[in-house]
Amino acid sequence: MPSRRSSKTPEQLTLHFPTSGLLAGVDEAGRGPLAGSVVAAAVILDDLQPIKGLKDSKVLTERKRDALFDEIRAKALCFCIAEASVEEIDRLNILHATMLAMKRAVEGLRLPPAKVLVDGNRLPVLKIPAEAIVKGDAKVQAISAASILAKVHRDRLCVDMHAQWPHYGFATHKGYPTAMHLKALQEHGASPVHRQSFGPVRQALASKAAAA
């Protein structure tokens, strides 16, 4: 059900929308990195089991995100975490792959929401009414919860990637184009989990081909 208003000014806004039924929050993680899947999550919170400390995942510590990840999964009415693969990112482009991951997350919910609230200014193609909310991960608790699920899930994917390709340092930079990551790309070329449509990866592939 839509979150109830508090008599006090909340730290995080509880927005009221003119719709009845369940509201799902949706957010993504991993649009900017050079490697790995893009991840999206959809969450329907339970008003009877409030979760304290929900915020934009980027402002939380890793320890706090991990704790909230478990609490959200335990207390939410339902949730779904979905991905779009590296191959889909390269084929569709990162924006369309992100929308695909969001669509999969919403469609994977066990309970059908009456409305979907999506962080940002773009919406995936859905059969359910939806609204894009800029900075929604800092304004709407269900979106904050989705941002936490997506971020923690993707960070754990990066740890798995690191175990297979440790010389890239995925566990440290999470696939973002840091100086360490770019240097590793130049030294080792691209791995199977790198996004070949992204500029630095294309350059690394071109350099390796030229040297061959």
Side-chain angles (χ1 to χ4, degrees), residues 23-29 39-45 79-82 98-109 113 115-124 126 128-138 140-150:
L23 293 177
V26 177
D27 203 359
E28 54 77 25
V39 176
V43 181
I44 299 177
L45 294 175
F79 68 90
C80 179
I81 302 172
T98 300
M99 295 299 107
L100 177 60
M102 287 182 171
K103 178 180 172 68
R104 287 170 173 166
V106 173
E107 293 179 346
L109 289 170
K115 188 170 184 178
V116 176
L117 309 178
V118 180
D119 181 57
N121 59 5
R122 292 178 180 269
L123 291 171
L126 300 170
I128 301 166
E131 182 173 347
I133 302 175
V134 176
K135 300 187 184 300
D137 49 7
V140 182
Q141 289 200 339
I143 298 179
S144 298
S147 78
I148 292 165
L149 292 189

Side-chain angles (χ1 to χ4, degrees), residues 155-173 180 193:
D155 283 356
R156 292 176 180 178
L157 290 178
C158 289
V159 172
D160 292 340
M161 287 169 14
H162 183 86
Q164 296 183 67
W165 298 281
H167 42 281
Y168 292 103
F170 290 127
T172 301
H173 53 64
M180 170 190 175
V193 293

Side-chain angles (χ1 to χ4, degrees), residues 24 26 28 73 82 87 96 116 139 143 154 179 211:
V26 177
E28 54 77 25
R73 287 163 52 95
E87 292 76 17
H96 288 93
V116 176
K139 298 175 182 177
I143 298 179
R154 200 192 123 77

